[in-house]
Protein backbone atom coordinates (compact mmCIF):
# COMPACT_ATOMS: atom_id res chain seq x y z
CA UNK A 1 0.00 0.00 0.00
CA UNK A 2 1.35 3.41 -0.96
CA UNK A 3 2.49 5.61 1.91
CA UNK A 4 0.05 8.44 2.69
CA UNK A 5 1.81 11.77 2.18
CA UNK A 6 0.73 15.20 3.39
CA UNK A 7 2.10 18.67 2.65
CA UNK A 8 1.90 21.17 5.53
CA UNK A 9 2.92 24.80 5.13
CA UNK A 10 4.04 26.83 8.12
CA UNK A 11 5.32 23.63 9.68
CA UNK A 12 8.14 25.09 11.79
CA UNK A 13 6.02 26.70 14.51
CA UNK A 14 2.57 27.25 15.96
CA UNK A 15 -0.47 25.65 14.40
CA UNK A 16 1.46 24.30 11.41
CA UNK A 17 3.97 22.50 13.62
CA UNK A 18 1.19 21.03 15.76
CA UNK A 19 -0.57 19.77 12.63
CA UNK A 20 2.60 18.23 11.24
CA UNK A 21 3.29 16.46 14.55
CA UNK A 22 -0.27 15.17 14.76
CA UNK A 23 -0.16 13.79 11.22
CA UNK A 24 3.18 12.11 11.85
CA UNK A 25 1.70 10.46 14.94
CA UNK A 26 -1.20 9.24 12.79
CA UNK A 27 1.19 7.58 10.36
CA UNK A 28 1.37 10.18 7.61
CA UNK A 29 4.63 11.02 5.88
CA UNK A 30 4.82 14.82 6.04
CA UNK A 31 6.54 17.33 3.81
CA UNK A 32 6.80 20.62 5.67
CA UNK A 33 7.23 23.96 3.91
CA UNK A 34 8.44 26.97 5.86
CA UNK A 35 10.82 29.90 5.54
CA UNK A 36 12.32 28.92 8.89
CA UNK A 37 14.51 25.90 9.48
CA UNK A 38 12.95 22.61 10.52
CA UNK A 39 11.80 22.27 14.11
CA UNK A 40 10.69 18.64 13.75
CA UNK A 41 12.95 15.60 13.81
CA UNK A 42 11.13 12.47 12.66
CA UNK A 43 11.84 9.70 10.18
CA UNK A 44 8.64 10.49 8.33
CA UNK A 45 9.28 14.22 8.07
CA UNK A 46 10.92 16.03 5.16
CA UNK A 47 11.51 19.77 5.40
CA UNK A 48 11.56 22.19 2.49
CA UNK A 49 12.90 25.59 3.47
CA UNK A 50 11.13 27.99 1.13
CA UNK A 51 9.89 31.58 1.23
CA UNK A 52 6.21 31.22 0.35
CA UNK A 53 6.12 34.90 -0.60
CA UNK A 54 8.34 33.95 -3.55
CA UNK A 55 5.97 32.66 -6.22
CA UNK A 56 8.52 30.81 -8.34
CA UNK A 57 10.12 29.09 -5.34
CA UNK A 58 6.69 28.13 -4.01
CA UNK A 59 5.68 26.52 -7.30
CA UNK A 60 8.95 24.61 -7.49
CA UNK A 61 8.38 23.22 -3.98
CA UNK A 62 4.82 22.27 -4.88
CA UNK A 63 5.88 20.46 -8.05
CA UNK A 64 8.36 18.42 -6.01
CA UNK A 65 5.51 17.40 -3.69
CA UNK A 66 2.98 16.54 -6.42
CA UNK A 67 1.22 13.27 -5.68
CA UNK A 68 0.60 14.00 -2.00
CA UNK A 69 -2.80 12.83 -0.78
CA UNK A 70 -3.30 15.78 1.59
CA UNK A 71 -2.46 19.47 1.73
CA UNK A 72 -2.77 21.73 4.76
CA UNK A 73 -2.09 25.45 4.38
CA UNK A 74 -1.22 26.80 7.83
CA UNK A 75 1.43 29.38 6.90
CA UNK A 76 0.47 32.93 7.74
CA UNK A 77 1.18 36.21 9.38
CA UNK A 78 -0.93 38.79 11.19
CA UNK A 79 -0.58 42.54 10.78
CA UNK A 80 -3.12 44.84 12.42
CA UNK A 81 -3.92 48.52 11.81
CA UNK A 82 -6.99 50.77 11.69
CA UNK A 83 -7.96 53.00 8.78
CA UNK A 84 -5.49 55.83 8.46
CA UNK A 85 -2.57 53.58 9.43
CA UNK A 86 -2.93 50.75 6.91
CA UNK A 87 0.38 49.75 5.37
CA UNK A 88 0.23 48.50 1.75
CA UNK A 89 3.27 46.29 2.29
CA UNK A 90 1.50 44.53 5.19
CA UNK A 91 -1.52 43.85 3.04
CA UNK A 92 0.66 42.60 0.19
CA UNK A 93 2.57 40.23 2.50
CA UNK A 94 -0.60 38.72 3.92
CA UNK A 95 -2.09 38.32 0.45
CA UNK A 96 1.06 36.56 -0.77
CA UNK A 97 1.11 34.11 2.13
CA UNK A 98 -2.61 33.50 2.65
CA UNK A 99 -3.88 33.63 -0.93
CA UNK A 100 -1.19 33.67 -3.62
CA UNK A 101 1.02 30.93 -2.15
CA UNK A 102 -2.07 28.87 -1.40
CA UNK A 103 -3.34 29.24 -4.97
CA UNK A 104 0.02 28.33 -6.48
CA UNK A 105 0.37 25.17 -4.40
CA UNK A 106 -3.26 24.11 -4.85
CA UNK A 107 -3.01 24.67 -8.61
CA UNK A 108 -0.39 21.90 -8.69
CA UNK A 109 -1.47 19.50 -5.94
CA UNK A 110 -5.26 19.46 -6.32
CA UNK A 111 -5.47 18.46 -10.00
CA UNK A 112 -3.16 15.53 -9.21
CA UNK A 113 -5.45 14.53 -6.32
CA UNK A 114 -8.48 14.73 -8.62
CA UNK A 115 -6.79 12.52 -11.21
CA UNK A 116 -5.99 10.00 -8.49
CA UNK A 117 -9.58 10.03 -7.26
CA UNK A 118 -8.75 10.95 -3.67
CA UNK A 119 -7.43 13.86 -1.63
CA UNK A 120 -7.90 16.06 1.39
CA UNK A 121 -7.27 19.78 1.70
CA UNK A 122 -7.58 21.91 4.85
CA UNK A 123 -6.92 25.64 4.96
CA UNK A 124 -6.31 27.37 8.29
CA UNK A 125 -8.52 30.44 8.18
CA UNK A 126 -9.64 32.76 10.94
CA UNK A 127 -12.78 33.61 12.86
CA UNK A 128 -12.28 37.26 11.86
CA UNK A 129 -12.79 36.53 8.14
CA UNK A 130 -16.22 38.15 8.34
CA UNK A 131 -14.60 41.42 9.43
CA UNK A 132 -13.20 42.90 12.63
CA UNK A 133 -12.23 46.49 13.37
CA UNK A 134 -8.51 47.08 12.98
CA UNK A 135 -7.91 43.87 11.03
CA UNK A 136 -9.33 44.70 7.63
CA UNK A 137 -6.36 43.59 5.54
CA UNK A 138 -5.95 40.33 7.46
CA UNK A 139 -9.69 39.64 7.41
CA UNK A 140 -9.84 40.24 3.66
CA UNK A 141 -7.17 37.63 2.95
CA UNK A 142 -8.84 35.08 5.20
CA UNK A 143 -12.20 35.79 3.54
CA UNK A 144 -10.54 35.11 0.20
CA UNK A 145 -9.43 31.74 1.51
CA UNK A 146 -13.06 30.83 2.22
CA UNK A 147 -14.06 31.74 -1.33
CA UNK A 148 -11.21 29.68 -2.77
CA UNK A 149 -12.06 26.69 -0.59
CA UNK A 150 -15.73 26.62 -1.57
CA UNK A 151 -14.93 27.12 -5.24
CA UNK A 152 -12.31 24.37 -5.30
CA UNK A 153 -14.54 22.05 -3.26
CA UNK A 154 -17.21 22.35 -5.94
CA UNK A 155 -14.68 21.61 -8.69
CA UNK A 156 -13.25 18.41 -7.21
CA UNK A 157 -16.01 16.90 -5.05
CA UNK A 158 -16.95 14.38 -7.74
CA UNK A 159 -13.35 13.18 -7.88
CA UNK A 160 -13.19 12.26 -4.19
CA UNK A 161 -11.31 15.35 -3.03
CA UNK A 162 -12.52 17.44 -0.10
CA UNK A 163 -11.59 21.05 0.69
CA UNK A 164 -12.40 22.61 4.06
CA UNK A 165 -11.43 25.57 6.21
CA UNK A 166 -10.69 25.46 9.93
CA UNK A 167 -11.08 28.90 11.50
CA UNK A 168 -9.61 29.37 14.98
CA UNK A 169 -10.19 32.15 17.47
CA UNK A 170 -7.19 33.49 19.44
CA UNK A 171 -4.68 30.66 19.66
CA UNK A 172 -1.64 30.25 21.89
CA UNK A 173 1.18 30.70 19.35
CA UNK A 174 4.21 32.93 18.93
CA UNK A 175 2.11 35.14 16.66
CA UNK A 176 0.64 36.65 19.83
CA UNK A 177 4.12 37.96 20.69
CA UNK A 178 4.70 39.57 17.29
CA UNK A 179 5.92 43.17 17.91
CA UNK A 180 3.78 44.29 14.97
CA UNK A 181 0.60 43.60 16.95
CA UNK A 182 1.56 44.54 20.50
CA UNK A 183 -0.85 47.49 20.48
CA UNK A 184 -3.72 44.99 20.43
CA UNK A 185 -3.92 42.17 22.93
CA UNK A 186 -5.87 39.00 22.04
CA UNK A 187 -9.35 38.64 23.46
CA UNK A 188 -9.99 35.48 25.41
CA UNK A 189 -12.89 33.40 24.08
CA UNK A 190 -15.86 32.93 26.43
CA UNK A 191 -14.44 29.55 27.46
CA UNK A 192 -11.88 31.60 29.41
CA UNK A 193 -8.63 30.58 27.75
CA UNK A 194 -6.82 30.64 24.43
CA UNK A 195 -7.24 27.82 21.92
CA UNK A 196 -4.33 25.36 21.93
CA UNK A 197 -2.62 24.47 18.61
CA UNK A 198 -3.03 20.76 19.37
CA UNK A 199 -6.81 21.24 19.53
CA UNK A 200 -6.82 22.66 16.01
CA UNK A 201 -4.47 19.93 14.83
CA UNK A 202 -6.80 17.23 16.14
CA UNK A 203 -9.64 18.56 13.99
CA UNK A 204 -7.40 18.82 10.96
CA UNK A 205 -6.31 15.23 11.48
CA UNK A 206 -9.93 14.12 11.44
CA UNK A 207 -10.72 16.13 8.29
CA UNK A 208 -7.89 14.34 6.50
CA UNK A 209 -9.21 10.92 7.52
CA UNK A 210 -11.45 8.59 5.46
CA UNK A 211 -14.28 9.20 7.97
CA UNK A 212 -14.46 12.84 6.85
CA UNK A 213 -15.24 12.00 3.22
CA UNK A 214 -18.73 13.63 3.27
CA UNK A 215 -17.44 16.93 4.69
CA UNK A 216 -16.40 19.48 2.07
CA UNK A 217 -16.70 23.19 1.38
CA UNK A 218 -17.18 23.94 5.08
CA UNK A 219 -15.80 26.61 7.41
CA UNK A 220 -15.45 24.96 10.81
CA UNK A 221 -14.82 27.34 13.68
CA UNK A 222 -12.65 26.41 16.65
CA UNK A 223 -13.53 29.41 18.74
CA UNK A 224 -14.22 28.49 22.36
CA UNK A 225 -17.61 30.19 22.13
CA UNK A 226 -16.31 33.41 20.55
CA UNK A 227 -18.80 33.04 17.68
CA UNK A 228 -21.83 32.72 19.94
Amino acid sequence: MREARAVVTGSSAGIGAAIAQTLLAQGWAVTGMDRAAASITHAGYRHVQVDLADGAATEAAARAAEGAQAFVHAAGVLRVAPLGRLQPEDGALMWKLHVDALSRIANILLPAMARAGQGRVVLVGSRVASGVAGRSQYAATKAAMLALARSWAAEVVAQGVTVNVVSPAATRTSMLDDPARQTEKPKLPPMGRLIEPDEIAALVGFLLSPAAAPITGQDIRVCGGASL
Side-chain angles (χ1 to χ4, degrees):
M1 183 176 178
R2 187 173 61 166
E3 183 179 48
R5 294 190 291 131
V7 173
V8 179
T9 66
S11 58
S12 290
I15 294 171
I19 291 169
Q21 294 277 23
T22 293
L23 297 185
L24 288 165
Q26 291 178 348
W28 289 86
V30 176
T31 296
M33 296 183 184
D34 202 298
R35 185 177 64 176
S39 64
I40 296 172
T41 301
H42 189 285
Y45 181 76
R46 183 174 75 91
H47 191 73
V48 178
Q49 195 163 356
V50 57
D51 182 358
L52 295 176
D54 181 328
T58 298
E59 289 184 6
R63 282 192 291 271
E66 188 173 350
Q69 290 84 21
F71 167 43
V72 181
H73 188 58
V77 66
L78 174 63
R79 296 290 183 266
V80 300
L83 284 167
R85 295 207 295 271
L86 297 177
Q87 300 297 319
E89 58 270 25
D90 288 345
L93 174 61
M94 289 186 285
W95 186 267
K96 285 179 181 178
L97 291 179
H98 302 162
V99 182
D100 186 63
L102 165 60
S103 298
R104 290 174 186 270
I105 298 170
N107 197 42
I108 293 169
L109 299 188
L110 267 70
M113 292 180 189
R115 289 192 296 270
Q118 63 173 342
R120 296 284 186 271
V121 179
V122 176
L123 315 181
V124 178
S126 173
R127 193 185 69 84
V128 307
S130 57
V132 170
R135 298 193 188 183
S136 58
Q137 293 169 310
Y138 178 77
T141 63
K142 292 297 186 175
M145 290 175 69
L146 295 174
L148 291 174
R150 287 185 59 81
S151 299
W152 294 339
E155 290 185 35
V156 297
V157 61
Q159 286 74 47
V161 181
T162 66
V163 186
N164 291 290
V165 178
V166 170
S167 295
T171 304
R172 192 187 306 278
T173 70
S174 59
M175 188 180 288
L176 298 182
D177 300 321
D178 191 330
R181 63 160 295 173
Q182 289 308 297
T183 56
E184 180 186 322
K185 299 299 182 183
K187 295 180 180 178
L188 288 181
M191 69 186 292
R193 64 169 176 83
L194 296 172
I195 309 300
E196 297 294 338
D198 287 346
E199 294 170 329
I200 299 166
L203 175 57
V204 172
F206 171 72
L207 290 172
L208 300 190
S209 73
I215 305 171
T216 194
Q218 301 304 304
D219 176 22
I220 304 171
R221 298 189 174 193
V222 184
C223 67
S227 299
L228 297 176

